Amino acid sequence: MSLQTPLPTRSAPAPDTGHRRRLRLAWRRFAANRGAVAGLVILALFLLLAIASPWLAPGDPTAQNLAGRLSPPSLAHALGTDDLGRDLWCRLVYGTRVSLRVGVISVGLSLVIGTSLGLLAGYRGGRIDELVMRCLDVVLAFPSILLAILIVAILGPSLDNAILAIAAVNVPVYARLVRSSVLSLKQQEFIEAAQALGAGHLRIVLQHVLPNCLTPITVQATLGIGTAILETAGLSFLGLGAQPPTPEWGTMLNDARPYLRDAWWLVTFPGVAIIVTVLGFNLLGDGLRDMLDPRGRR
């Protein structure tokens, strides 16, 4: 009876821990930045306010009570009331929804359009690059807030038109950022290898170029949301953004102008909300930059 040597059993492949390890290291870099953690906590609190606004502020933000107008903060009204007797806490909480929605939608629009233009100009080059960049230079020649005011004045004052205006003036920022990244990536060896293997232009752009542009885009978009919220508040303060009785922070500041000396709470709380929200996005953007691009840190 011959003895047969058993075939060696193939052990199960070890789980790929490289991706998890990179995620853990990235989170450690993020957590080591106290400012970034503070920004994340701030934005989490405002996001909670926006989601849970029907429970945290069950009243109607547009309900008027002229008998209790300009009441200071008290147990009945935590942040006081405005000139029409509307509860300021309720309007502030519902205004969080409006401001976050405006920031996300406007940045999303400018991000999609700007990224598409940047990919087209950077990858194709030549006359297309010249045409796209010269058009964007014309947009950049105007101060962003003045150009946004011009667009809203043409389209008509409303919150939706303010979103479109803010998205339009921020398109060149993302387009130029993506174009600069594409110009450096086109010279890399993996792009030349993909072209040698017969990959089409669309496949190269979507599978090789765009994923390598996500780091600067993500950081800029995070910072851009805070800027969009600030610009929206400025347009609403001028009467070109959200229209009454929409509970928007810039509109609330505009309504409080005649009562700066008599009702300090009407200006203080919406102003603090704008400052803290923009600060949260700026801190988070700085933290993401350090986390996604560790070469800038020792």
Side-chain angles (χ1 to χ4, degrees):
M1 183 176 180
S2 61
L3 298 177
Q4 296 181 353
T5 304
L7 296 175
T9 58
R10 180 178 297 178
S11 58
D16 183 18
T17 59
H19 183 62
R20 295 181 179 180
R21 186 181 300 110
R22 288 192 295 268
L23 288 178
R24 287 196 299 267
L25 291 176
W27 171 251
R28 289 177 183 176
R29 289 194 297 268
F30 182 85
N33 190 333
R34 296 182 180 180
V37 175
L40 182 62
V41 172
I42 291 172
L43 297 182
L45 291 177
F46 277 97
L47 183 61
L48 178 62
L49 286 177
I51 295 175
S53 53
W55 297 276
L56 296 176
D60 185 1
T62 62
Q64 301 180 11
N65 181 18
L66 296 179
R69 62 188 300 269
L70 297 180
S71 298
S74 61
L75 294 178
H77 302 283
L79 301 183
T81 59
D82 63 4
D83 57 318
L84 296 177
R86 296 172 295 191
D87 186 77
L88 197 62
W89 163 253
C90 187
R91 291 180 61 79
L92 195 71
V93 171
Y94 276 92
T96 306
R97 280 186 169 187
V98 177
S99 296
L100 292 181
R101 179 171 65 89
V102 168
V104 172
I105 294 177
S106 61
V107 169
L109 291 175
S110 58
L111 179 63
V112 171
I113 299 173
T115 300
S116 301
L117 293 176
L119 290 173
L120 177 63
Y123 188 78
R124 298 294 297 179
R127 295 182 179 180
I128 295 179
D129 184 20
E130 285 291 330
L131 177 62
V132 172
M133 298 313 298
R134 295 298 77 77
C135 293
L136 295 179
D137 288 340
V138 172
V139 178
L140 289 174
F142 297 90
S144 59
I145 188 63
L146 294 182
L147 184 58
I149 291 174
L150 176 62
I151 295 175
V152 175
I154 295 174
L155 299 178
S158 70
L159 187 60
D160 294 336
N161 292 337
I163 293 175
L164 294 178
I166 294 172
V169 299
N170 288 315
V171 165
V173 176
Y174 298 97
R176 295 175 69 90
L177 181 64
V178 173
R179 175 182 176 271
S180 63
S181 299
V182 173
L183 290 178
S184 62
L185 289 171
K186 282 200 312 181
Q187 309 301 325
Q188 300 295 324
E189 294 180 355
F190 67 93
I191 300 295
E192 298 178 356
Q195 293 174 347
L197 292 175
H201 296 301
L202 183 62
R203 181 178 179 181
I204 292 176
V205 169
L206 296 181
Q207 293 188 2
H208 301 285
V209 177
L210 182 58
N212 287 281
C213 299
L214 292 180
T215 295
I217 292 176
T218 302
V219 175
Q220 182 60 41
T222 305
L223 298 172
I225 294 177
T227 303
I229 292 175
L230 191 60
E231 291 175 346
T232 304
L235 291 176
S236 298
F237 182 78
L238 297 175
L240 299 175
Q243 300 300 305
T246 304
E248 198 274 333
W249 294 338
T251 305
M252 295 168 65
L253 289 176
N254 186 29
D255 295 338
R257 285 189 299 171
Y259 309 100
L260 291 176
R261 296 182 179 181
D262 300 328
W264 57 267
W265 56 90
L266 296 182
V267 179
T268 301
F269 295 119
V272 170
I274 295 174
I275 293 173
V276 174
T277 305
V278 175
L279 177 63
F281 278 107
N282 290 340
L283 292 176
L284 181 61
D286 290 339
L288 290 177
R289 179 189 58 195
D290 294 340
M291 182 184 72
L292 299 176
D293 189 13
R295 291 174 300 176
R297 301 184 59 185
R298 295 184 60 182

